[in-house]
Amino acid sequence: MKTKIIILVLLFVSAPLFGQYEFINIWNGDAPGTKNTAEEEKYSDERFWTVNQPGLVFYKAPESKGITMLVLPGGGYHHLAFVKEGVTIAKWLNNLGIDAYVLKYRLNPEDALDDAQRAVCFIRSQNPGNKIGVIGFSAGGHLAANVMLSPKRVLIDSIDNQNYKPDFAALIYPWLQNLYEKVKEKLPPLFIAHAADDTRVPVRESLNFIDACVKINVYPEAHIFFEGGHGFGMEKESGYAASEWPSLFEKWLVNKGILNVTGDKK
């Protein structure tokens, strides 16, 4: 009974954000190893400040092209910028013919990694035959890279038998720290965008990661913009060149053969 009450509260709190979109509990119950469960889940100012029940919100493209992406909002593992770097991104992807799931992940990095790996497995189980990609912003970029680089941490049911590695990935102003040290094997096609004047996450983090990829003969599509700062998201009104990353990402998807502009599945 306690679990049912918690789920109902979460749906009520999230209703204005999710609208008609269903919240999907990827763990089929309480997430394993959940920390800080005594705290109430909090959402305000289009951000989640506390997350106890991780899950997905699905946004289906009007004309799906056989591509599904997992969207990982940022927030420094302190909060989730769920609208700016989640819902807004999903709706933009929908316009490209890409189905999108936005992940509400726990704010402890280890728990977040479990949630993201599980989410990729869940998405594959629900979208057989689709190309599965992941796009992450800031700390979400850290999480996306970590999914590519880390072994599977939790196995609880048949869903976890799915391949948890994405087929392609995009890291947007990613907070990467020393993850470049884990780049030791072949990675999927990778797109990176970062502003040189980012004072919150130094562009050197992306440059170190790119260098590590090149050393193993993986060549990311990388755009280092002169201006843009941190957290530019989809803000075209800024006037900065960094705001052009969405169109560059779309062109990259087409050039890599991931997105078919004719509208037919490949």
Side-chain angles (χ1 to χ4, degrees):
M1 185 64 183
K2 183 179 179 182
T3 301
K4 291 182 179 178
I5 292 174
I6 292 174
I7 292 174
L8 286 172
V9 171
L10 285 172
L11 288 174
F12 175 78
V13 170
S14 303
L17 171 65
F18 297 155
Q20 74 271 32
Y21 299 97
E22 178 186 4
F23 174 77
I24 303 167
N25 183 339
I26 55 176
W27 292 107
N28 298 321
D30 292 337
T34 299
K35 299 175 183 179
N36 299 322
T37 53
E39 294 185 57
E40 293 183 2
E41 190 156 286
K42 299 175 184 177
Y43 176 81
S44 65
D45 299 325
E46 300 184 336
R47 295 170 173 83
F48 281 98
W49 300 94
T50 309
V51 175
N52 288 330
Q53 184 60 68
L56 295 165
V57 182
F58 179 50
Y59 292 84
K60 184 170 181 57
E63 298 182 13
S64 179
K65 296 184 178 180
I67 308 167
T68 306
M69 292 197 70
L70 173 65
V71 183
L72 302 175
Y77 293 112
H78 173 262
H79 65 271
L80 293 182
F82 203 81
V83 173
K84 178 180 178 180
E85 297 172 349
V87 175
T88 299
I89 304 302
K91 291 181 177 180
W92 162 65
L93 291 171
N94 286 171
N95 290 333
L96 302 181
I98 299 173
D99 296 328
Y101 290 82
V102 183
L103 178 62
K104 177 163 72 82
Y105 58 85
R106 289 169 289 174
L107 299 178
N108 175 283
E110 291 186 359
D111 289 340
L113 179 56
D114 292 340
D115 295 339
Q117 290 180 334
R118 174 72 174 188
V120 175
C121 291
F122 177 86
I123 291 169
R124 284 199 188 279
S125 72
Q126 298 298 305
N127 301 273
N130 276 20
K131 302 166 188 173
I132 308 298
V134 60
I135 182 169
F137 299 79
S138 193
H142 176 276
L143 183 54
N146 222 2
V147 170
M148 293 188 293
L149 298 170
S150 300
K152 189 75 168 72
R153 286 169 41 88
V154 176
L155 299 170
I156 63 171
D157 56 30
S158 60
I159 290 176
D160 292 307
N161 294 329
Q162 298 284 336
N163 179 13
Y164 68 94
K165 300 280 190 179
D167 298 320
F168 63 97
L171 313 179
I172 314 300
Y173 42 88
W175 176 62
L176 295 170
Q177 287 189 307
N178 296 325
L179 282 181
Y180 69 92
E181 295 176 351
K182 297 173 68 173
V183 178
K184 300 182 185 302
E185 59 185 52
K186 188 171 179 61
L187 298 177
L190 182 61
F191 179 97
I192 299 175
H194 210 135
D197 67 342
D198 190 334
T199 58
R200 190 171 301 175
V201 178
V203 69
R204 173 53 56 188
E205 294 191 13
S206 285
L207 295 175
N208 287 340
F209 196 87
I210 293 165
D211 184 57
C213 289
V214 171
K215 287 179 179 178
I216 62 168
N217 297 317
V218 173
Y219 303 100
E221 172 92 0
H223 296 273
I224 308 300
F225 300 101
F226 174 64
E227 290 181 303
H230 188 77
F232 44 80
M234 297 283 292
E235 297 174 359
K236 286 189 172 296
E237 66 273 12
S238 68
Y240 293 136
S243 66
E244 296 302 317
W245 76 264
S247 60
L248 293 169
F249 178 63
E250 182 180 356
K251 290 177 182 177
W252 177 78
L253 289 173
V254 174
N255 291 337
K256 297 297 290 185
I258 298 169
L259 178 64
N260 185 355
V261 293
T262 66
D264 299 325
K265 291 184 180 181
K266 283 189 174 183

